[in-house]
Amino acid sequence: MRLPDFEAWAIFAAVVEHRSFTDAAKALSVSKATVSKAVTRLEQHLDTSLFSRTSRRLALTESGKRLADHAQRIMAEGVAAEEAAHDETADLSGVVRLGAPMTFGLLRIAPLIAQFTRQNPLVDVDLHLSDAHIDIIEMGLDATIRIADMPDSSLRARRLADVTLHVVASPAYLAERGRPNHPSDLGSHDCLCYSNATTPDIWRFSGPGEQNVVVQVRSRITVNSGEAMLPALREGVGIARLPDFIVGDALAAGDVEEILADWRAPPFGLHLVTPPSRLRPARVDALLDFITRHHGCRKMNDHV
């Protein structure tokens, strides 16, 4: 059996990451000719073109796009294996690249990162905050926090907790427009919707007697940040569904009130997601275990 050309796959992954033969060569500390020969060798072995090359532009072919993830995983596995071997005899050090949703990251993850880096002075953390769905393989992240129902995929995940959504409105809004008593009443109200949801204006509820209700709401404001709904919510613009970590303080202060208390939106899972490989540098495992302990999570042992 012929062994795979691991060097060529790794160099292909570097070109994909840097989108340039020249930049990949600099990153790998090799010549541009070495990069070019490796990619050509891989193309000949696979009997397909991986890049469309012009004097001004380098773009992946359809075959290249399909194989890019495989190449990046091969590269990541090799790096992780070497770092794991090194970490057995070395103190925790290096960079951990972590993603998280914007508001949850600011409120819950950033404080943990501060504690962790103080306790581990040789570890640096590159924290990427975004409410958009991100590809952790393409972005080169070691892990990311996701608040969502996880689809089937090759990624690994540990479920940190359920995230309960509260249906809330300001006292002023309820005094002016009335208090909904059933989810179907929401159809005649103004609502604030989260645009990163699959169907922002479709709200699902379960309630007494195992009833399930689906309501299409009218969105006065649609926004890709739950925290950005708070000013409009306090001003009485509409009704919103928000998790406790965003709306908890407003509820406690009486700025908003929970409505439809007997009805619950399906809970979302708070997940810690990593690439498929079980091989991770010790510094990554240390940070993930630190987050796990502070969220009362179970160990990572299941796939999604």
Side-chain angles (χ1 to χ4, degrees), residues 30-31 35 38 59 61 89 105 107 111 120 179 213 222-223 236 290 299 302:
V30 299
S31 68
V35 171
T61 62
T89 58
L107 297 178
N120 297 275
R179 180 183 293 268
V213 177
T222 302
V223 62
F290 187 82
K299 293 291 185 180
D302 49 325

Side-chain angles (χ1 to χ4, degrees), residues 27-228:
L28 298 173
S29 299
V30 299
S31 68
K32 183 179 177 182
T34 298
V35 171
S36 180
K37 288 178 182 177
V39 172
T40 299
R41 192 167 69 241
L42 187 60
E43 288 177 324
Q44 290 174 345
H45 176 63
L46 298 173
D47 195 25
T48 187
S49 295
L50 299 173
F51 294 101
S52 297
R53 306 171 180 82
T54 68
S55 58
R56 297 183 178 180
R57 186 169 178 269
L58 181 70
L60 285 167
T61 62
E62 288 303 313
S63 294
K65 291 177 183 177
R66 288 194 300 270
L67 295 170
D69 282 349
H70 294 289
Q72 289 166 332
R73 289 175 185 173
I74 290 170
M75 181 72 156
E77 290 271 3
V79 171
E82 290 188 354
E83 290 184 345
H86 173 75
D87 288 336
E88 290 181 356
T89 58
D91 293 331
L92 296 179
S93 63
V95 180
V96 181
R97 296 174 176 83
L98 179 68
M102 180 63 70
T103 303
F104 188 83
L106 288 170
L107 297 178
R108 301 292 176 86
I109 298 301
L112 294 182
I113 296 301
Q115 296 174 41
F116 179 83
T117 51
R118 185 172 180 83
Q119 294 174 18
N120 297 275
L122 298 181
V123 178
D124 301 325
V125 178
D126 182 355
L127 181 60
H128 178 87
L129 299 180
S130 174
D131 284 332
H133 180 81
I134 57 175
D135 186 325
I136 67 173
I137 302 295
E138 182 177 345
M139 293 192 64
L141 298 178
D142 295 300
T144 189
I145 306 291
R146 285 186 183 167
I147 301 175
D149 290 327
M150 296 297 299
D152 290 338
S153 75
S154 60
L155 300 177
R156 295 177 56 78
R158 68 179 81 170
R159 191 180 184 92
L160 308 185
D162 286 342
V163 177
T164 301
L165 296 178
H166 300 274
V167 183
V168 295
S170 70
Y173 178 90
L174 296 174
E176 179 183 350
R177 299 289 298 275
R179 180 183 293 268
N181 294 311
H182 189 275
S184 61
D185 297 338
L186 293 173
S188 61
H189 283 266
D190 296 331
C191 295
L192 313 175
C193 295
Y194 182 58
S195 63
N196 282 333
T198 304
T199 51
D201 61 343
I202 302 296
W203 291 7
R204 292 175 169 80
F205 296 89
S206 58
E210 299 185 355
Q211 298 179 69
N212 293 300
V213 177
V214 179
V215 183
Q216 182 164 14
V217 301
R218 176 179 182 268
S219 178
R220 286 293 311 281
I221 296 176
T222 302
V223 62
N224 66 352
S225 166
E227 191 175 24

Side-chain angles (χ1 to χ4, degrees), residues 214-290:
V214 179
V215 183
Q216 182 164 14
V217 301
R218 176 179 182 268
S219 178
R220 286 293 311 281
I221 296 176
T222 302
V223 62
N224 66 352
S225 166
E227 191 175 24
M229 297 181 194
L230 290 176
L233 190 60
R234 290 189 173 101
E235 287 292 327
V237 174
I239 297 171
R241 294 197 310 175
L242 291 169
D244 182 71
F245 66 85
I246 291 179
V247 79
D249 289 345
L251 278 167
D255 295 339
V256 299
E257 299 178 14
E258 185 160 14
I259 59 178
L260 300 174
D262 292 335
W263 295 84
R264 291 294 177 191
F268 289 96
L270 175 65
H271 294 91
L272 188 53
V273 182
T274 60
S277 174
R278 291 178 179 270
L279 290 174
R280 288 186 297 273
R283 63 179 179 273
V284 175
D285 277 335
L287 177 56
L288 300 189
D289 288 343
F290 187 82

